[in-house]
Amino acid sequence: MVNIEELIDTLAQDTTAVKPAPHPYLLSLKWMGWSVAYLLVSLMFMGLRPDMAIKLHEPWFVAEVMALGGIFIATSVSAALLSFPDMHQMRRLAFAPVMAFVLFVLVMFLAWQADNPPAPLPVHSFECTIGIALFSLLPTVWTLYAMRKFASTHYHWAGSTALLAAFSIGALWLRLYEINDSIMHVVEWHYLPMIAFGIAGFGLGRTFLKW
Amino acid sequence: MTDQTDNFAALMRQSQNGDQRAYAGLLRETSRFLRPFLAKRLSFTNEVEDLLQEILISIHKARHTYDGKRAYKPWVYAIAKFRLQDYLRAHYSDQLHHAVELSELEESLPEHVTETGISYESISVEVQKLPEKQATILQLMHQEGYTAKEVAEKMGMNESAVKVAAHRAYKVLRKKLER
């Protein structure tokens, strides 16, 4: 092993001008921009659910979509903050997804209460999970790839929030595309798998973001 | 204090612009305040130096993630703590692996010593050449008959650290005696 002085000299000789990383807000805005563009293009090709005009007048559907959007924004910002070693010294903001999830659970609970008599369950089940997973694959790849350029000291959490951001945009896409009003179905086959993938992100974070 | 903080931030900004002298100065200052931070958390000087080197390399790799508008020290300490945790995690998992080897060693050591006529006294000269902490541990365990737990209490270390230090010392001694 070389001694510290030698190492410092080597590192100093090795250094060249580096471009400082963009601010995490800008970074998350960029990621969100790409994801929203991807969502819009997909919806343009595949179409919106035919009853969208009616659904937009249903307060619980609008609340659900907005709460899901809240998760997407909070997890994107959090993933950007977690890409920096010191979380850009905005530690509290990195925990924003917790609040977004609390709000989302509350909205889903109230929507379930309001769903009386309950909407019939659709005939399909796991196909929705597969659809969300396939849709979210691309945002997952580009977010993790972008995060690798930084230096996360919380790579488990960073991986998890990155996957939640990607899968929330996937869940949003399916909610805007599929004709389905069963709260039980969306919880079971859309949102619980989304959370499960977020948990799997802990492992992916270790694999892809460890430096 | 604020002056110093501003100074670090200014040095880092210069470093990001490719100023090698500012960068060397910054790394020197950084290693100065990180060394006591690590020394408090690690038992041996060589561990401190090894980890300090790793941290400096990590700072070098991550220097683009520092924003000149923020304080420098929280950024550095975030990297230092991250590398320290990594190091300790690896160290303890390694220790678990060594714990098996150590128990095997403890079983075979008395028999081996009797067969070859090696006693603590006969190798005490070699023991004294070991780093001070390791020599003290071996002396307490093999000359004065203390257990690893008792040695740990006496030296203000944890039991595992004592066992690891003893194990390292055994390895060094074994190599020397095999020559």
Side-chain angles (χ1 to χ4, degrees):
Chain A
M1 270 286 194
V2 290
N3 68 36
I4 298 291
E5 278 304 312
E6 281 173 33
L7 178 69
I8 289 173
D9 289 340
T10 311
L11 294 178
Q13 280 161 20
D14 185 45
T15 197
T16 48
V18 286
K19 193 180 165 198
H23 193 281
Y25 290 159
L26 204 64
L27 201 62
S28 57
L29 215 57
K30 192 175 146 190
W31 296 345
M32 282 190 276
W34 278 110
S35 297
V36 170
Y38 176 57
L39 175 70
L40 292 177
V41 169
S42 305
L43 287 173
M44 253 168 59
F45 279 100
M46 301 169 89
L48 282 166
R49 54 190 290 172
D51 61 346
M52 185 54 103
I54 302 161
K55 292 303 282 182
L56 287 176
H57 288 95
E58 288 179 14
W60 289 117
F61 177 78
V62 175
E64 182 190 331
V65 168
M66 284 176 73
L68 195 55
I71 289 181
F72 168 61
I73 293 168
T75 48
S76 299
V77 172
S78 176
L81 288 172
L82 286 163
S83 301
F84 289 79
D86 58 346
M87 293 184 242
H88 225 263
Q89 292 166 39
M90 292 189 278
R91 197 178 179 84
R92 279 188 192 167
L93 197 57
F95 291 99
V98 176
M99 278 307 293
F101 268 101
V102 169
L103 189 69
F104 182 71
V105 169
L106 187 71
V107 166
M108 290 312 293
F109 177 74
L110 293 174
W112 174 66
Q113 291 273 302
D115 185 30
N116 196 10
L121 281 168
V123 285
H124 62 273
S125 54
F126 67 89
E127 292 88 340
C128 286
T129 307
I130 293 173
I132 291 173
L134 290 175
F135 185 90
S136 308
L137 206 61
L138 202 58
T140 301
V141 172
W142 81 55
T143 310
L144 286 176
Y145 176 74
M147 288 171 86
R148 275 173 68 88
K149 292 177 189 160
F150 304 96
S152 177
T153 53
H154 298 80
Y155 46 79
H156 289 117
W157 285 106
S160 179
T161 49
L163 254 76
L164 282 171
F167 276 77
S168 60
I169 201 79
L172 197 56
W173 160 72
L174 198 56
R175 206 66 185 104
L176 298 176
Y177 167 72
E178 181 199 34
I179 306 173
N180 168 32
D181 295 318
S182 168
I183 298 295
M184 288 312 289
H185 171 83
V186 292
V187 168
E188 192 178 354
W189 297 106
H190 296 205
Y191 301 137
L192 286 179
M194 176 182 91
I195 294 168
F197 280 110
I199 293 168
F202 274 84
L204 274 183
R206 187 185 161 79
T207 309
F208 290 104
L209 303 176
K210 202 168 187 292
W211 56 291
Chain B
M1 184 70 187
T2 314
D3 282 352
Q4 202 185 23
T5 307
D6 290 346
N7 191 28
F8 287 139
L11 281 174
M12 190 51 163
R13 279 195 295 270
Q14 287 170 5
S15 309
Q16 286 177 328
N17 288 330
D19 184 335
Q20 298 185 346
R21 188 188 286 240
Y23 192 45
L26 178 73
L27 291 180
R28 246 173 231 120
E29 285 300 317
T30 304
S31 56
R32 207 160 290 155
F33 67 72
L34 281 183
R35 197 172 271 119
F37 167 79
L38 297 174
K40 264 188 206 167
R41 288 157 180 85
L42 297 167
S43 314
F44 301 108
T45 317
N46 61 337
E47 286 179 318
V48 173
E49 293 301 303
D50 287 352
L51 189 56
L52 187 54
Q53 289 189 18
E54 269 187 52
I55 292 169
L56 291 178
I57 293 168
S58 301
I59 289 171
H60 182 70
K61 278 189 199 166
R63 66 193 189 284
H64 66 294
T65 64
Y66 173 73
D67 176 349
K69 290 173 196 142
R70 290 175 293 149
Y72 173 73
K73 279 193 175 178
W75 180 81
V76 163
Y77 276 115
I79 294 174
K81 281 179 194 165
F82 170 62
R83 284 291 170 234
L84 177 67
Q85 280 169 4
D86 244 13
Y87 176 82
L88 291 175
R89 203 177 292 126
H91 174 79
Y92 283 113
S93 75
D94 193 35
Q95 200 169 289
L96 279 176
H97 171 70
H98 276 154
V100 179
E101 286 181 15
L102 196 64
S103 61
E104 286 166 3
L105 194 71
E106 277 168 354
E107 276 171 26
S108 63
L109 197 63
E111 191 187 327
H112 185 65
V113 168
T114 316
E115 275 178 9
T116 55
I118 296 175
S119 64
Y120 177 81
E121 285 71 24
S122 66
I123 57 166
S124 63
V125 178
E126 292 298 336
V127 172
Q128 294 311 317
K129 287 179 191 167
L130 291 169
E132 195 185 338
K133 210 169 230 175
Q134 291 182 359
T136 312
I137 288 169
L138 289 201
Q139 189 188 347
L140 289 170
M141 285 174 77
H142 296 286
Q143 194 178 28
E144 298 180 25
Y146 287 103
T147 62
K149 195 178 176 184
E150 288 164 342
V151 174
E153 280 166 13
K154 255 181 143 18
M155 296 184 69
M157 295 167 70
N158 67 43
E159 190 182 348
S160 311
V162 168
K163 283 183 178 176
V164 170
H167 182 62
R168 285 182 179 161
Y170 295 144
K171 274 168 85 174
V172 174
L173 286 176
R174 190 192 287 156
K175 269 187 192 164
K176 283 186 177 175
L177 294 172
E178 278 171 359
R179 274 182 211 154

